[in-house]
C-alpha cells in the first residue's frame, strides 16, 4: 500500500481502534503506546506458526470470571503480553504489563469484529477470544458467548 494512503487509512481507523483497545484493557490507550505496524506485521508472521500447530484447547462458553481464570492459568503474573485486534496490521499491536491489565468485563458492543487475541511476548502461548452474537447456525441469540481457544507449544 502506498505510504500516503496507509497514513490516511490509519488516521481514519485510529480513534475507534484506540477505543477498542482501551475497552479491552484497564489502560487509557494512546497511539504512542502501540507497536509500529512493521513490528506488528513481523509478530503476526511468527504467530502464524503457533496457530498452525494443532496443540490447542478450546473452552466454550465463558464469562468474565472464567476468562480471568483462563488468563491466570495461561500467563504468569508480571509477564508482558501483546494484544491483537482487527486492524493491528495498520494501526499496531499493544503491549501490556501482564494479564491483570486485561478488562475481562469488556463491553462487547464496542468492537463489532468479535475477536481478541492475547499472547506472551515470546509468542509461545495465546488466548484467542472469539465472541459473537450468533450461534453456529447464524441465528442471533440473546446475550453473548465467548469462545476461547488456548494455543501453546
Amino acid at each position: 500500500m502506498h505510504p500516503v494512503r496507509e497514513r490516511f487509512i490509519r488516521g481514519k481507523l485510529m480513534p475507534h481502534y484506540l477505543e477498542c483497545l482501551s475497552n479491552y484493557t484497564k489502560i487509557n490507550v494512546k497511539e504512542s503506546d502501540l507497536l509500529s505496524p512493521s513490528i506488528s506485521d513481523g509478530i503476526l508472521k511468527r504467530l502464524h506458526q503457533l496457530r498452525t500447530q494443532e496443540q490447542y484447547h478450546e473452552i466454550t462458553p465463558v464469562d468474565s470470571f472464567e476468562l480471568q481464570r483462563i488468563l491466570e492459568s495461561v500467563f504468569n503474573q508480571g509477564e508482558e503480553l501483546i494484544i491483537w485486534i482487527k486492524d493491528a496490521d495498520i494501526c499496531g499491536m499493544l503491549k501490556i504489563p501482564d494479564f491483570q491489565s486485561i478488562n475481562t468485563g469488556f463491553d462487547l458492543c464496542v468492537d463489532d469484529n468479535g475477536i481478541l487475541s492475547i499472547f506472551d511476548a515470546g509468542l509461545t502461548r495465546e488466548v484467542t477470544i472469539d465472541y459473537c452474537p450468533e450461534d453456529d447456525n447464524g441465528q442471533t441469540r440473546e446475550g453473548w458467548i465467548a469462545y476461547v481457544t488456548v494455543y501453546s507449544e
Side-chain angles (χ1 to χ4, degrees), residues 10 14 17-18 21 29-44 46 80-84 87-96 119 121 123:
R10 184 177 179 173
M14 192 59 69
Y17 186 77
L18 295 174
L21 287 172
V29 181
K30 298 181 257 356
E31 188 172 351
S32 60
D33 297 329
L34 303 176
L35 298 172
S36 72
S38 62
I39 290 173
S40 296
D41 186 52
I43 291 170
L44 279 175
R46 291 195 329 245
E80 187 175 66
L81 302 175
I82 301 171
I83 294 179
W84 174 93
D87 296 324
D89 58 329
I90 296 170
C91 297
M93 294 180 185
L94 175 67
K95 277 192 179 182
I96 57 172
F119 42 92
L123 305 181

Side-chain angles (χ1 to χ4, degrees), residues 13-145:
L13 294 174
M14 192 59 69
H16 182 66
Y17 186 77
L18 295 174
E19 177 186 14
C20 291
L21 287 172
S22 293
N23 177 48
Y24 290 131
T25 65
K26 298 174 185 173
I27 301 166
N28 183 17
V29 181
K30 298 181 257 356
E31 188 172 351
S32 60
D33 297 329
L34 303 176
L35 298 172
S36 72
S38 62
I39 290 173
S40 296
D41 186 52
I43 291 170
L44 279 175
K45 287 177 182 168
R46 291 195 329 245
L47 267 177
H48 180 69
Q49 296 170 342
L50 176 64
R51 290 177 176 157
T52 57
Q53 296 174 14
E54 293 298 322
Q55 300 174 357
Y56 67 90
H57 180 66
E58 189 168 302
I59 304 164
T60 180
V62 300
D63 58 18
S64 63
F65 299 108
E66 179 68 6
L67 178 55
Q68 182 65 36
R69 190 195 65 72
I70 291 166
L71 294 173
E72 290 172 359
S73 70
V74 173
F75 302 115
N76 301 316
Q77 190 167 1
E79 178 179 29
E80 187 175 66
L81 302 175
I82 301 171
I83 294 179
W84 174 93
I85 61 173
K86 182 180 180 258
D87 296 324
D89 58 329
I90 296 170
C91 297
M93 294 180 185
L94 175 67
K95 277 192 179 182
I96 57 172
D98 63 15
F99 68 83
Q100 293 177 332
S101 298
I102 300 290
N103 172 18
T104 57
F106 56 85
D107 182 345
L108 298 165
C109 297
V110 171
D111 181 7
D112 62 2
N113 183 51
I115 297 179
L116 165 67
S117 290
I118 306 161
F119 42 92
D120 68 308
L123 305 181
T124 59
R125 289 162 284 133
E126 177 181 18
V127 173
T128 298
I129 303 143
D130 181 356
Y131 58 93
C132 61
E134 299 172 347
D135 63 19
D136 292 339
N137 298 318
Q139 301 296 314
T140 302
R141 67 165 75 88
E142 289 189 33
W144 292 67
I145 295 179

